[in-house]
Amino acid sequence: MKKQLRTMQDSIATAKTLSEALPYLQRYSGAVVVVKFGGNAMGDDDAMAEFARDIVLMRQVGVNPVVVHGGGPMINDMLNKLGIKSEFVRGKRVTDKATVEVVEMILSGLVNKRIVQAINDQGGRAVGISGKDDDLMVCVADDPELGFVGKPVEMNVQVLRDLYNAGIIPVVAPVATGMEDNETFNVNGDTAAGAIAGALQADRLLLLTDVSGVKNAAGEVMTQITPEEVRQMTADGVIAGGMIPKTETALLALDQGVRAVTILDGRLPNACLLELFTDHGAGSQIRS
Ligand code: X2W
């Protein structure tokens, strides 16, 4: 009897949650949401399955999710196994010819297909591509010091629209073509996600990482921040280190017409749903 009562109460809570989500479901119906899934947010198979479930649910309720992933820790593992040394300058991996081959192998092969498989296992229809497919993202060298690290200069996002208009969830590896024949560039995952969100004029860009958001000088996570505040906090050194590429990406994406960017902890259960479909939201939202 007790068990039955609890089950009933659980069901009532579930129904209430769904009912409360209605205004959000209506608001995001037809919206384009670019989700950057960072390597640090990926975790084990269960966490991957949960992420995939959120993405499939978004698609089911009429959102057009576009997943752009990272995979830095997985690249590190393979470089270590192969005895190739790797270093980061200003948050980006110095990438020589041997390294870029490993980057493409791991991102376009291992990580991309793992995410595609996880989404398909949840009943979605995911197709994995990289920035090379249909010349989605064409790059030039970001900085001579970094080698084959790409800065996107030309975006051809029609392939993404074609995929989501056909009910497919695109999953994009941040590897790109150059302007010269046979060039391959390693693109920072946040940079790629921002460029894609900007070119799509996405409604939302969610940057899933392993920190809870942007912190103020007192160390508290700020739930809402304006671009002006981000600039000031960066000048004051409050925003520093690995957060800089994320906030820079956010400002660039907003400039290009993305409505809002959220930096959040992808390891939180149902992080994407929490942000999009509840009053509470998650992480730090940057918008004008
Ligand atoms: C990144 C690409 C992967 C990435 C790298 O080589 O690690 C550059 O740094 P996370 O998991 O999002 O950090 N590229 C140029 O961005 O992965």
Side-chain angles (χ1 to χ4, degrees), residues 11 46 130 137 141 167 173 194 214 218 231 234 243 262 284:
S11 301
D46 288 346
S130 83
M137 187 162 59
V214 180
R231 284 191 198 97
T234 309
M243 190 51 78
T262 306
S284 301

Side-chain angles (χ1 to χ4, degrees), residues 36-42 68-76 79 86-95 99 103 107 111 142 146 148-150 174-175 185-192 208-209 246:
K36 154 73 198 308
F37 193 29
N40 286 318
M42 279 173 206
V68 181
H69 63 84
M74 297 77 183
I75 297 169
N76 290 343
L79 288 173
S86 184
E87 56 162 348
F88 284 81
V89 172
R90 291 180 295 280
K92 292 176 184 166
R93 188 189 306 276
V94 179
T95 305
T99 305
V103 167
L107 293 182
V111 179
D142 187 4
L146 300 176
F148 295 102
V149 169
V175 174
F185 282 110
N186 173 15
V187 186
N188 175 273
D190 295 322
T191 308
L208 264 50
T209 181
K246 296 192 191 302

